[in-house]
Amino acid sequence: MFDRFQFDKKNENERERQLESLQKRLYEAIAAHNNIREAQISHLPTEEEIKEFEKINIPKVGRNAIEVEEELMNYVFNKQILAQHPRFFSFVSSAVSPYSIAGSILTDIFNANAGSFNMSPCGGIIEEKICAWMGSLAGYKADTCSGIFLSGGSISTMSAIIAARTNKLNEFDFPKGVAYLSEQAHSSVRKALRMLGFRNDQVIIIDTDDDYKMDVKSLEEAIIKDKEEGRIPFLVVGTLGTTNTGSIDPLSEIGDIAKKYNLWFHVDGAYGASSLISKKHRNSSSGIEKSDSLTWDSHKWLMQTYSCSTLLVKNKQTLLDAFVEHPEYLEDVSSTDHIDGWDKGPEMSRPNRAIKLWFTLQATGTNLLEEMIDYTFNNAIIVENELNKRKNWEIISKPSCGTINFRYAKEGMSPEELNELNLDITKEINESGFAYIVTTTLKGKKAIRMCMINVNSTEEDIISTIDLLDKIAIRLTSKI
Ligand SMILES: *Cc1c(COP(=O)(O)O)cnc(C)c1O
């Protein structure tokens, strides 16, 4: 499995022994991980342990590899928050497929550079096939769409904005371009625009309605006003599955407005695009086929390890226009029949992040995946039903894409006291170690947010978590 460096002759036998033992330990780590339910969700190093670890410096003389591995296990891997635990209900975090882990390890071992198609032709075909499959689920035509696997939703969306800017604006007009997004859009969209040099006044934040969906009337008014003032609206970003509430913007109407005013329409589906796999839930995203590009993170809902995101575009030429460069040192390895990775995105050297997803799709099949997605949608509905059975719980956002927000709202408490109380409730449940939940703020209210997309969460996990939340809330308010 491991290559031996030719220099390493001095302690050859000892090295050999250590490497063999290391291979065994890797298998053991995989086996231990299968028992994730038994692991502590949040098991962080103590301050002393952090201080101890900080004392380790980069050595001049190599150390015993087994010692290094043990150190990593003790301080790093066994002392972290396990977002893939079945009772971790924060962020947007699913279970990890064992096939993703296998695909990821294999990809690392053979370490092909996926910048070039020719370095690993069938690896390149895997990426193309998955992009065509995802594109067709979004309603793009498989033969004219394209896509690329990138590190995460943030970089995928940034790349989409680069394509949008190249496609819709003359270089001299960059300072006049205006982009539109809702106040519920992910922070990475604003960050990408800032990284690309857009000023704050070129980024217009559109209000949302009671369901946290973009208000399309405000969108159109803002576009008309900016045009009248001589600015150039060039991009609107809709979200399929907002991070706070799992809401889906009215994609069809946004698409129509984008077409009417000649804007690029990007959909941030980092979290929610995986719902397109479900026949039952795909309709909620109708109109997505009107978009020009789509961000889809498989490390969110499709059980992939970090990192695994895809940027899809309806028209492959738009990616080429934005990203192709022809350096002399790549002439011999550039492809003619296929598009090289480095011509479709910002990265040059990169791992083939599609392989682990391919492994998962092949070994799981889309029927089972669809069942898994539907199952997780229902988990948020179980939460809602359980809350409705208990007193004083107020639903703040209805289940959408497997996410629900709520709070304990006992009568007689002020808005500030309620905010404080709900923070305390989550703090306590996290300290208990039983489950992990964080809050967010929605229209001024502190809300307990549960994202239920882990396929390993059972009904019992959910009910016992709600029971515990209820017990904590009752105790904290017993004197009121
Ligand atoms: C997580 C998320 C992102 C950011 O994606 P990364 O992969 O973390 O960079 C963007 N948009 C939405 C809606 C998200 O949920």
Side-chain angles (χ1 to χ4, degrees):
M1 180 169 172
F2 294 101
D3 226 350
R4 276 62 164 162
F5 290 117
Q6 60 170 342
F7 303 65
D8 222 9
K9 290 282 184 238
K10 221 167 40 188
N11 300 313
E12 203 166 12
N13 290 340
E14 174 57 18
R15 285 271 172 215
E16 199 74 22
R17 200 185 59 75
Q18 288 174 21
L19 286 170
E20 261 164 37
S21 168
L22 199 50
Q23 286 186 33
K24 261 212 315 260
R25 279 160 184 262
L26 287 182
Y27 292 123
E28 284 165 15
I30 295 172
H33 201 67
N34 286 337
N35 252 338
I36 187 158
R37 179 171 279 285
E38 310 310 319
Q40 272 178 270
I41 302 178
S42 168
H43 185 207
L44 295 172
T46 61
E47 293 207 356
E48 261 146 45
E49 285 172 321
I50 293 175
K51 281 206 187 97
E52 278 162 27
F53 194 72
E54 275 177 339
K55 288 197 192 117
I56 304 171
N57 290 316
I58 316 295
K60 281 219 161 72
V61 179
R63 298 164 55 200
N64 182 319
I66 297 309
E67 199 181 293
V68 177
E69 192 263 359
E70 279 173 356
E71 210 165 77
L72 285 170
M73 289 307 291
N74 287 340
Y75 287 95
V76 182
F77 300 121
N78 287 334
K79 300 280 164 65
Q80 65 171 54
I81 293 180
L82 282 178
Q84 62 274 46
H85 191 284
R87 284 191 307 277
F88 181 92
F89 300 118
S90 301
F91 307 149
V92 179
S93 174
S94 64
V96 172
S97 161
Y99 307 120
S100 176
I101 294 174
S104 181
I105 292 172
L106 286 167
T107 304
D108 266 4
I109 294 171
F110 294 100
N111 202 30
N113 188 333
S116 148
F117 183 92
N118 285 345
M119 301 273 279
S120 164
C122 289
I125 285 170
I126 284 176
E127 182 168 19
E128 289 178 354
K129 282 230 171 200
I130 298 184
C131 289
W133 173 70
M134 287 178 156
S136 64
L137 286 173
Y140 298 167
K141 288 200 187 74
D143 52 340
T144 44
C145 74
S146 181
I148 178 157
F149 275 71
L150 293 164
S151 61
S154 304
I155 297 301
S156 292
T157 293
M158 187 177 81
S159 306
I161 297 173
I162 295 169
R165 183 175 67 175
T166 307
N167 203 260
K168 296 291 182 191
L169 293 176
N170 171 311
E171 277 179 355
F172 293 98
D173 285 336
F174 285 4
K176 288 194 212 157
V178 188
Y180 303 82
L181 42 130
S182 93
E183 49 101 8
Q184 289 293 318
H186 192 267
S187 59
S188 59
V189 184
R190 292 193 298 277
K191 188 171 173 180
L193 285 158
R194 180 151 52 88
M195 288 193 289
L196 294 173
F198 290 99
R199 303 176 311 269
N200 279 338
D201 65 282
Q202 293 179 281
V203 180
I204 305 295
I205 308 294
I206 306 293
D207 281 343
T208 56
D209 63 15
D210 292 344
D211 292 326
Y212 305 93
K213 299 177 181 197
M214 187 189 280
D215 175 7
V216 284
K217 201 164 152 267
S218 307
L219 170 68
E220 186 161 15
E221 283 165 9
I223 294 172
I224 292 171
K225 176 172 166 284
D226 285 327
K227 272 178 128 44
E228 279 168 5
E229 290 173 5
R231 311 210 292 169
I232 309 176
F234 81 101
L235 167 71
V236 55
V237 179
T239 309
L240 195 188
T242 60
T243 312
N244 268 336
T245 61
S247 300
I248 303 173
D249 283 331
L251 303 179
S252 188
E253 284 147 282
I254 297 174
D256 291 340
I257 292 174
K259 188 159 179 222
K260 184 167 168 193
Y261 298 98
N262 191 28
L263 273 67
W264 181 282
F265 177 24
H266 177 70
V267 174
D268 178 3
Y271 157 20
S274 298
S275 67
L276 296 172
I277 293 172
S278 162
K279 284 189 277 301
K280 196 166 153 201
H281 294 286
R282 164 189 314 164
N283 286 344
S284 318
S285 309
S286 66
I288 191 169
E289 70 284 354
K290 298 179 185 175
S291 64
D292 297 290
S293 54
L294 168 66
T295 292
W296 182 336
D297 277 9
S298 297
H299 62 219
K300 290 279 173 72
W301 203 344
L302 279 190
M303 299 179 291
Q304 299 305 295
T305 61
Y306 299 121
S307 57
C308 191
S309 173
T310 313
L311 168 63
L312 299 153
V313 291
K314 178 179 270 166
N315 172 356
K316 66 176 86 157
Q317 190 59 38
T318 57
L319 280 187
L320 301 179
D321 291 346
F323 293 108
V324 169
E325 284 288 336
H326 288 296
E328 62 287 0
Y329 37 81
L330 295 182
E331 269 169 26
D332 298 350
V333 282
S334 292
S335 311
T336 44
D337 302 345
H338 294 267
I339 305 174
D340 291 311
W342 54 52
D343 284 339
K344 293 190 284 185
E347 295 179 317
M348 179 154 287
S349 305
R350 63 186 183 120
N352 189 330
R353 302 182 183 93
I355 290 176
K356 57 190 172 187
L357 179 56
W358 176 262
F359 205 135
T360 310
L361 291 170
Q362 293 294 327
T364 309
T366 56
N367 285 348
L368 187 55
L369 264 184
E370 182 173 357
E371 255 181 68
M372 289 174 165
I373 299 266
D374 288 346
Y375 173 86
T376 53
F377 261 94
N378 193 53
N379 281 349
I381 296 169
I382 298 177
V383 172
E384 184 184 28
N385 292 341
E386 290 301 315
L387 291 170
N388 286 337
K389 286 182 200 161
R390 294 164 176 79
K391 263 199 250 157
N392 295 330
W393 291 98
E394 173 195 357
I395 305 294
I396 293 185
S397 76
K398 300 275 284 174
S400 184
C401 287
T403 287
I404 177 168
N405 284 271
F406 53 88
R407 67 173 184 169
Y408 196 75
K410 194 169 174 176
E411 247 177 76
M413 293 179 75
S414 71
E416 294 74 32
E417 282 169 339
L418 287 179
N419 284 352
E420 198 65 29
L421 168 67
N422 283 280
L423 260 180
D424 289 344
I425 295 171
T426 52
K427 202 165 153 231
E428 233 183 82
I429 199 163
N430 294 343
E431 278 167 9
S432 80
F434 185 74
Y436 204 93
I437 304 171
V438 295
T439 62
T440 188
T441 303
L442 291 168
K443 310 220 188 245
K445 291 178 183 170
K446 251 312 147 220
I448 299 177
R449 171 183 172 281
M450 287 179 78
C451 181
M452 308 300 301
I453 64 174
N454 187 319
V455 71
N456 288 330
S457 310
T458 61
E459 189 165 352
E460 198 194 326
D461 285 321
I462 301 167
I463 295 175
S464 48
T465 300
I466 301 299
D467 265 336
L468 185 53
L469 282 172
D470 198 45
K471 264 197 208 116
I472 295 171
I474 290 170
R475 186 165 44 69
L476 289 177
T477 52
S478 62
K479 291 192 201 83
I480 292 163

